Amino acid sequence: MKAQLTESRNITEPSVFDFVDARSFVISRISYLQQSQSGFSLRKFSKEIGMSSSGHIHNIVSGRIALSEKVALKLAQGFALNKVESKALLELFLLETLPDGSAKEGLKKKILDERLHRKKTKLKEPQYAYFTDWYYPVIREMVGLSDFRVDPQWIASRLAGKVTALEVAQALKTLFSLGLIRSEGSHVVQSEPTVETDDVTDISALIPQFHRAMMNKAQEAQDLVAVSLREITGMTITLGDDELDQLKQEVTEFRRRVFQKYGQVKPSHNRVYQINLQMFPLTK
């Protein structure tokens, strides 16, 4: 019996980053092509990517044919995947070929970590109101606390700064309208675990303003927050121009590891923290 390749009528283009199983992705992607491209056929598709017949694809998704890097590359080409997406598909194929053991578990963890890192809200230009005041992102994080209340007065009392209940109410209204938080039954939850800005959009005024506000909060914390609840340290070193990009990349990787390990809301979490990493020249 041939594998069924039209399991869904959803014509949203499937992303390889939404899957942890190669065959499920292949089935969904082909189903999408069948529905979105007039005249699409497996026979034509197979010929275009250099497969002997459409039956070859059926055998792949049914598990009759062993997966291989060569097959994955052909499918990636046919699906018009970019380099990063192609690499992700190769990892899914490799995961299925590895025997059970530490190597397979290690690769599976790597894939899941990468999927988690990519699961984020990409802010659109109107959503940059999110950076209007320092407490907007803080309130968004607060909804993950186990004792959170949708009560502006309660939220204002928990914030480490002079913020009124009226300002909190406006922030909540903005966060809901921007789709950054949402109602789920009787609870309020984050729409996605994290958010990021669109690098190509000019927000040259808002982002520096936000970072300056957070730097000021760090200064306040030195006087108002117990040492046991904060970590404010620094170092002064020399660097060559050739080392700067390398160090910046290491900082980016460190931020990613911190988020993967600590960034998901847990019932035991009882505070919202800001983590600042700052690096700038002190000489000309």
Side-chain angles (χ1 to χ4, degrees):
M1 179 179 178
K2 291 185 176 181
Q4 177 57 257
L5 296 176
T6 56
E7 294 182 344
S8 171
R9 301 305 298 173
N10 185 0
I11 62 171
T12 300
E13 184 176 28
S15 168
V16 67
F17 300 112
D18 292 333
F19 293 81
V20 292
D21 173 78
R23 289 186 174 87
S24 295
F25 170 69
V26 172
I27 290 172
S28 297
R29 192 75 174 210
I30 290 177
S31 177
Y32 165 77
L33 293 174
Q34 288 173 327
Q35 297 173 72
S36 62
Q37 293 186 9
S38 177
F40 175 87
S41 71
L42 275 180
R43 179 176 296 180
K44 180 181 177 182
F45 177 79
S46 300
K47 184 177 181 180
E48 288 175 348
I49 63 175
M51 287 190 173
S52 56
S53 69
S54 59
H56 198 92
I57 294 179
H58 282 290
N59 287 332
I60 290 170
V61 298
S62 66
R64 296 191 186 98
I65 294 179
L67 304 176
S68 68
E69 181 177 346
K70 183 178 179 181
V71 167
L73 289 172
K74 286 184 176 181
L75 288 171
Q77 177 189 354
F79 294 150
L81 303 185
N82 61 34
K83 289 183 179 180
V84 177
E85 292 168 333
S86 298
K87 180 177 178 291
L89 181 59
L90 284 171
E91 288 180 337
L92 291 183
F93 272 70
L94 178 59
L95 184 64
E96 296 191 17
T97 62
L98 287 174
D100 292 338
S102 59
K104 185 167 187 173
E105 287 304 310
L107 178 58
K108 185 176 181 180
K109 182 180 184 304
K110 176 178 180 291
I111 290 172
L112 291 174
D113 285 347
E114 288 176 346
R115 300 297 188 271
L116 178 62
H117 182 65
R118 286 182 170 275
K119 189 174 178 57
K120 57 183 68 173
T121 297
K122 188 105 173 174
L123 292 182
K124 305 301 180 185
E125 192 166 0
Q127 292 177 308
Y128 290 134
Y130 178 64
F131 293 108
T132 299
D133 289 290
W134 66 268
Y135 51 86
Y136 277 52
V138 181
I139 294 173
R140 179 186 170 277
E141 290 301 315
M142 286 179 72
V143 305
L145 300 178
S146 58
D147 61 344
F148 178 75
R149 304 179 201 170
V150 191
D151 177 351
Q153 189 64 54
W154 180 87
I155 295 171
S157 70
R158 289 289 300 270
L159 289 170
K162 295 180 180 180
V163 183
T164 68
L166 184 61
E167 289 171 326
V168 170
Q170 180 58 53
L172 285 170
K173 181 179 178 181
T174 300
L175 292 171
F176 274 114
S177 67
L178 295 178
L180 298 176
I181 60 175
R182 59 185 171 81
S183 295
E184 194 172 87
S186 60
H187 301 284
V188 174
V189 298
Q190 298 173 356
S191 298
E192 297 293 351
T194 189
V195 297
E196 67 175 12
T197 58
D198 186 343
D199 293 335
V200 301
T201 305
D202 182 15
I203 50 170
S204 57
L206 283 177
I207 297 302
Q209 173 184 305
F210 173 78
H211 286 309
R212 280 194 294 271
M214 284 303 181
M215 289 179 196
N216 289 335
K217 300 302 291 181
Q219 287 182 314
E220 293 174 7
Q222 291 187 98
D223 299 324
L224 303 176
V225 178
V227 174
S228 61
L229 294 177
R230 60 176 168 83
E231 178 70 15
I232 300 177
T233 59
M235 66 178 71
T236 305
I237 61 174
T238 60
L239 276 179
D241 291 343
D242 58 329
E243 297 171 309
L244 179 59
D245 287 341
Q246 180 181 345
L247 181 53
K248 289 171 69 174
Q249 182 59 43
E250 290 180 13
V251 170
T252 299
E253 184 59 31
F254 168 73
R255 288 170 47 208
R256 179 184 176 188
R257 291 199 308 271
V258 169
F259 177 77
Q260 288 175 343
K261 187 172 183 178
Y262 302 103
Q264 300 307 297
V265 174
K266 298 178 182 177
S268 60
H269 289 178
N270 60 352
R271 289 185 178 89
V272 177
Y273 272 81
Q274 175 71 14
I275 302 173
N276 287 340
L277 298 173
Q278 297 151 12
M279 180 174 66
F280 49 86
L282 294 170
T283 58
K284 296 180 180 178

